[in-house]
Amino acid sequence: MGLFTAACAAYASLAAWLWLTLAQGMFWRTDVRLPPRTAPAHWPSVAIVVPARDEAEVLPRSLPSLLAQDYPGEAEVILVDDGSTDGTGGLALRLAAGQPGLPLTVVSPGDPAPGWTGKLWALRHGISLARTAHATEPDFLLLTDADIAHEPDSLRELVAAATSADLDLVSQMARLRVAGFWERLVVPAFVYFFAQLYPFRRINRPSARTAAAAGGCVLLRTGAAVRAGIPDSIRQAVIDDVSLARAVHRSGGRIWLGLAERVDSVRPYPALADLWRMVSRSAYAQLRHQPLLLAGTVAGLVLVYLVPPAALLTGLATGHPAVAWAGGLAWLLMAGTYLPMLRYYRQPAVLAPLLPLTALLYLLMTVDSAVQHYRGRGASWKGRTYARPSDA
C-alpha cells in the first residue's frame, strides 16, 4: 500500500481499537458469569427440551448429563428427534433405560412445515408437549442443544439465577471444545467475535436496546415464551438464538447472557473444514443476506484486524515509524483484548498475536457463506438448505 494510504489506514485502525477497547461494553472481559443467586423457597417446575438431528455421535456424552441433573423441583427431559437417520431417538431411549434420574420422553414431529427451520419446528413440538402433557404447564423451559453437556448442578444454578434476579431469559454460552490445532486457532475467536458484536454487559442492562442469547443453553420462563410467541414468531430464523432473545426483549422480558462455568459443548471440530461449515452455514444470514452489509463487514474486518500487522510491517520496511507505531499499537490492543478469552479457554498467550490470521479465515468463511447462498446452498445444515426468510 502507498505510504499515505498506509498511514491513514493505520491511524483509522488504531482509533477503531481504542474505541472497541474503551467504549464497546468491555466486550473483552470474561468475568460475566451467572448473577448472584439464592435458592428459591419453592423450586419451580422445568421442562428440558432438546432438539436433535443425527446426534448419535455426541448424545452419549450429553444426554446422561441432563438426566442426572440434581434438581430439587419437578423436571423432565423431552428429546425431539428431528428426522434423524442415525438412530438418535432409539439411542436416547437406551441411554435412559434403567438409569435413575429425570424422566425422558422421545418424540418426532415429522418434516418441518413450510417456512420453518428444522430446529425451531422441533422446539415448537417439544414446547407444545411440555405445556400440555401435564395438568399444569412448567414454570420454565430449558432449551438446550443435543451436543451440550451440563454439570449436575447446572439446572439448579440457572433457575436460582432466574428467580433471584427476576429474569425471563438466562442464557449461557457453552464452553466449546478446544483440542486440536484448528479448534485452538478458531474457537476462542468465535466467542470473542460474538462478544464484540453483542457485549454481554450491555445486553444485561435493564435499559438495553438490543438482545442476544446463546442457543446451546437458554432457560426461558414459559410465560415469557407465550408472550413473545416463541417459537412461532421466529419460525424462519436461521440465527435462532439471537432472534429468540430479541423476541423476548420486544415483549418486555428481562434478559441475561454470559459465559458458562457448568455447561460445555462436546461436539468435535477436528478439521478446518468442520469449523468452516459451522461458521459459513449462517454467516450471511447474520448479515440478513444483504450485499452492502457483506461489503461493510469485509471492509471492517480488513481495517480492524488485517491493517495493524500490515501497517507495522510497511512502516518498518519503509522507515516510517509513525505508521509502524500506529499499526503496532493497534495490534497490541487487539492481542491484549484477546488474552482474557484465551485464558478462559485455557490456551497459551502465544495465540493472541495470531488473531489477524484467524480474522482472515472468518472473512473468507463469510464470503463463502454469501457465495453458497447465491448458488442455492446457503444456510445448509445436516441435509437441509433454508431460503432467506422473505423467500420462505
Side-chain angles (χ1 to χ4, degrees):
M1 62 178 76
L3 182 58
F4 178 76
T5 302
C8 291
Y11 298 147
S13 184
L14 178 58
W17 273 109
L18 288 169
W19 181 84
L20 286 169
T21 303
L22 301 174
Q24 184 61 356
M26 292 189 289
F27 76 93
W28 42 270
R29 293 184 59 172
T30 56
D31 57 351
V32 183
R33 311 298 170 88
L34 284 176
R37 53 208 178 273
T38 57
H42 172 73
W43 287 93
S45 57
V46 183
I48 303 172
V49 181
V50 186
R53 178 174 171 83
D54 291 337
E55 299 287 11
E57 178 185 3
V58 298
L59 212 58
R61 286 171 286 168
S62 60
L63 183 60
S65 75
L66 290 173
L67 300 174
Q69 284 301 297
D70 179 17
Y71 185 67
E74 294 183 8
E76 64 175 330
V77 180
I78 300 173
L79 185 138
V80 187
D81 185 359
D82 179 23
S84 298
T85 59
D86 65 351
T88 288
L91 174 60
L93 292 172
R94 291 194 297 274
L95 289 171
Q99 174 177 320
L102 302 185
L104 171 70
T105 302
V106 176
V107 295
S108 180
D111 292 333
W116 284 81
T117 65
K119 179 180 177 180
L120 289 172
W121 180 249
L123 283 177
R124 181 180 188 268
H125 195 81
I127 291 172
S128 176
L129 179 61
R131 295 183 60 200
T132 59
H134 306 288
T136 58
E137 63 183 25
D139 300 300
F140 283 92
L141 303 162
L142 175 59
L143 313 179
T144 185
D145 289 346
D147 63 343
I148 302 298
H150 294 251
E151 292 295 322
D153 62 349
S154 171
L155 180 59
R156 187 171 64 227
E157 296 296 324
L158 285 166
V159 171
T163 55
S164 297
D166 194 25
L167 297 167
D168 294 291
L169 185 154
V170 177
S171 179
Q172 289 185 294
M173 176 159 282
R175 199 190 302 258
L176 304 177
R177 190 188 108 125
V178 176
F181 169 78
W182 291 111
E183 289 172 331
R184 290 188 172 93
L185 185 67
V186 174
V187 167
F190 177 85
V191 183
Y192 174 87
F193 293 147
F194 182 91
Q196 195 175 80
L197 287 173
Y198 304 105
F200 297 159
R201 280 176 170 76
R202 190 170 292 172
I203 294 293
N204 296 342
R205 294 173 185 167
S207 59
R209 295 184 178 181
T210 187
C217 177
V218 176
L219 182 73
L220 178 64
R221 287 186 190 269
T222 305
V226 173
R227 288 194 302 273
I230 302 297
D232 297 60
S233 62
I234 59 169
R235 61 186 178 275
Q236 298 178 351
V238 176
I239 314 295
D240 53 86
D241 45 10
V242 174
S243 298
L244 185 153
R246 287 174 175 170
V248 172
H249 184 263
R250 284 195 301 268
S251 66
R254 290 194 59 200
I255 289 172
W256 185 92
L257 170 65
L259 293 173
E261 295 176 311
R262 298 170 175 83
V263 183
D264 297 276
S265 172
V266 297
R267 188 182 302 282
Y269 293 98
L272 177 60
D274 302 312
L275 291 158
W276 194 288
R277 283 191 294 271
M278 178 190 75
V279 176
S280 67
R281 70 184 177 93
S282 59
Y284 198 40
Q286 180 73 47
L287 301 177
R288 301 192 294 252
H289 304 104
Q290 296 293 326
L292 287 178
L293 286 178
L294 174 65
T297 298
V298 170
L301 286 170
V302 170
L303 176 67
V304 174
Y305 290 100
L306 303 187
V307 164
L312 174 61
L313 295 176
T314 299
L316 292 175
T318 59
H320 289 83
V323 174
W325 272 105
L329 286 174
W331 198 356
L332 184 63
L333 286 172
M334 182 197 314
T337 58
Y338 190 37
L339 281 173
M341 190 61 70
L342 289 174
R343 284 196 295 267
Y344 171 74
Y345 272 97
R346 306 180 185 95
Q347 296 305 304
V350 70
L351 292 175
L354 299 182
L355 190 55
L357 172 60
T358 307
L360 175 60
L361 289 174
Y362 274 91
L363 186 157
L364 296 175
M365 294 172 189
T366 302
V367 171
D368 181 60
S369 178
V371 170
Q372 297 307 318
H373 170 78
Y374 289 112
R375 288 180 175 176
R377 299 196 297 268
S380 178
W381 185 244
K382 294 190 177 181
R384 290 186 179 134
T385 300
Y386 300 110
R388 71 174 76 188
S390 60
D391 297 337

